[in-house]
Amino acid sequence: MFLSRLSSDEQRAFLQVAVRLLEVDGLSDDERTAFGGLCERVGVRDDWAPDATAPLGAFLGQISRPSARAAALLELLGLAWVDTQYGDDERVFIQQIAQRWDISTSRLALMESWVVRQIALAEEGEQLVGGA
């Protein structure tokens, strides 16, 4: 939803961060599907592979604009919630990123709340479409 606010380089850095998030608690089918959708939206080729050797901080530093950081964090939260299980390990990972990007705890809480509401609205929409 917000990846278009990131430059091409920021989008690629975001994918590297997203891969690290998915590794935190193992990859569910829903997360795999969602990550594939993110890759499509960014336009990465099939031969793209995550860089497991570079430190996470290298990718976080490539997303430096405050608006890009907020957009990336919302996308990461959406990815973390896609399987409806936002585990403690994922939460700690996201909190560390928010801290590194100077996003306050209160703003992070607002972002988390927004993502949860969006998921509920999407589910409600699916029910409306399914009941048509």
Side-chain angles (χ1 to χ4, degrees):
M1 177 176 271
F2 297 105
L3 285 180
S4 63
R5 294 178 178 256
L6 279 64
S7 71
S8 178
D9 289 340
E10 289 171 331
Q11 289 175 347
R12 291 185 183 278
F14 165 81
L15 289 179
Q16 298 288 349
V17 176
V19 165
R20 304 287 174 92
L21 170 64
L22 295 175
E23 292 172 345
V24 166
D25 70 346
L27 190 62
S28 72
D29 289 340
D30 289 336
E31 289 172 333
R32 184 184 327 276
T33 300
F35 184 75
L38 292 172
C39 289
E40 285 179 25
R41 287 176 27 214
V42 168
V44 298
R45 297 189 336 240
D46 290 337
D47 62 350
W48 180 86
D51 182 351
T53 61
L56 176 63
F59 302 119
L60 294 176
Q62 292 178 31
I63 304 172
S64 59
R65 296 175 300 116
S67 62
R69 288 176 170 180
L73 196 56
L74 282 170
E75 291 284 357
L76 289 170
L77 284 164
L79 186 59
W81 272 103
V82 75
D83 60 0
T84 66
Q85 297 179 32
Y86 186 39
D88 290 339
D89 292 338
E90 290 172 313
R91 185 177 308 275
V92 168
F93 184 84
I94 296 274
Q95 288 170 342
Q96 290 171 343
I97 291 172
Q99 183 178 23
R100 168 81 189 261
W101 282 344
D102 295 322
I103 295 173
S104 70
T105 305
S106 60
R107 186 165 183 209
L108 176 60
L110 289 172
M111 291 174 150
E112 289 173 349
S113 174
W114 182 85
V115 168
V116 170
R117 291 191 319 269
Q118 291 301 310
I119 291 168
L121 286 171
E123 289 173 356
E124 183 180 340
E126 286 295 329
Q127 290 174 356
L128 291 170
V129 170

